[in-house]
Amino acid sequence: MSLQVKINSKAVRLPEGFELAINLKNNLLDGDREDATYPMEVNLASNRQVFGFVDRTHMDMTEKLQAGVSFGPYQLLNGQCVLTDVGDGNVEFYISTEKNSFWGKARDRMLDESCWGQFTYSPGNRTNTLEQFYKSLKERMDYVVCPVRDSYIKNSLDTEVDFYNYLEPGEEYFSSSYQIKPIYFTPFLRVTVVVKRVLEGMGYTIGVDEFSSDENLKDLLIICRRNPIDVNRGSEVADKYRYGEHLPRISVYDFLREIENKFGYNFIVDETAKNVDIRRLNLSLEKEVKVLDGVAKHFLSDEDRVTGIIYKDASSNDELVKSLEYFLSYVFGEEEDAETVECISTIVGVASDVKTFVRPNVKPDYKYEYRFAAFQEEFGDGYERVEQVSKELRFSIYRGMIKSVPVDGSGRSYEFYYPVASPIAESDGNGTFSLLWNGVDDGLSEYVKERALLLIGAEQHHEFYVCPDIKNLDNLQDFFSCVLVIRNRRYMCYEQEIVLNGNSIVSHLVRCYPL
């Protein structure tokens, strides 16, 4: 086995005694997603085939070149070579993973430009369009077209109802509701679909996917009000609308980090295989590790200890969200001096109304309550609204077709079902999971609890040198995704440092919290 550094596919001749230290952090525990830089210095005369005559005065040193580091068959780094200095017969440079790593690519991409997929409808055949939208309420599709009331919609769109996806309560199919014009639709994409499409668009395959298989999150929706569709336009040409047009204009990085912060799922990346595993911290998975003799124990000072962590939703000017403010944050441990994990998203609230059914010559009338997702906001002007709507990340859960509730003692011989998206579980709806942090038994706090309590309980960390084994380089993330069993004791690894020279693994250090 040999260590190879390649720049523009050309092998760099490394100096005798050259060593490279690669540092990796556990994304399950560490909030940092910064990309790494690896400085190097080599002889210029021995590497003319790589750097040419960069030492001449007229040569440009600003060009960034593709670079990679491998050890035997294992690709350890992919990035760009940046020259920093030429002198005394040597050339100094560093390899940066900023643009080539998973997180580097995620920073450079916008979510609305990175989610491939489209749905097709024919404005010339409104009936087919509305049937497709209604189908999304009953069948599992990439999106759901459920009613959402927006108190500001009449100020910005030419419509007579303050709803997107308006469905008259008690009516089957959207087509019955369209005697007035125009009505605006917008599909709300399932978050699991968006994650999958974005990762595939970045060139990665998905291996273990605990996120998509989570029953609580299978109907988690992004409620985005961008680019609503008027199905009454009368065009004879079928339109194909991109999924991305119905997503907020935020970076892919911010979106994926929000999945990590809010739902506790982490994107564990294998750059060699271009594979991503999506996992939660699981203290039941174990990996036995053989280590060399000796251990270094370090006790955390009071300043370094985590005594509390606060998770909280983004603030909102939405009155329905403000009314639930107490439930949109959670404190683990001590609140004083606690670290804060601030999410960039929040929920969409829920409002209700009463539908009255008039029966000829029979009193009293039937009255039934129905509920719907709703925005209740005030804006200074239309520009302010457009700016907020374009960037906001708002979640809800589609609860399916909910049974109506009679009110005011009216008769119970009639009932209807209606679709609703709500952050809070409905009595006969889909699941008990809630998008609230606090005050519920089955809410968001359960998703981040193990991580928070592990960090708060950490009083010391131990360092071990793993027995050098080339097979460990096949997937170094295994050391992070499992509990390490070392000398019959359980540890959670938060950092690794692997030192390589020309033909061997010099050392493999793991830093761990004892469990």
Side-chain angles (χ1 to χ4, degrees), residues 404-458:
S404 55
V405 178
V407 295
D408 298 335
S410 63
R412 297 171 180 267
S413 60
Y414 180 86
E415 63 183 27
F416 63 89
Y417 288 79
Y418 62 94
V420 62
S422 171
I424 306 168
E426 298 288 325
S427 58
D428 61 343
N430 175 15
T432 60
F433 179 68
S434 167
L435 291 178
L436 304 183
W437 285 101
N438 200 2
V440 293
D441 294 329
D442 192 11
L444 289 173
S445 58
E446 291 299 311
Y447 276 73
V448 297
K449 181 178 180 179
E450 282 194 335
R451 175 187 182 272
L453 296 182
L454 189 155
L455 293 175
I456 292 171

Side-chain angles (χ1 to χ4, degrees), residues 306-334:
V306 178
T307 57
I309 302 177
I310 301 172
Y311 287 84
K312 60 186 300 186
D313 267 18
S315 60
S316 174
N317 64 345
D318 189 318
E319 293 300 324
L320 294 174
V321 176
K322 286 182 179 179
S323 68
L324 294 170
E325 186 174 3
Y326 168 78
F327 302 99
L328 298 178
S329 65
Y330 194 89
V331 181
F332 291 96
E334 301 175 11

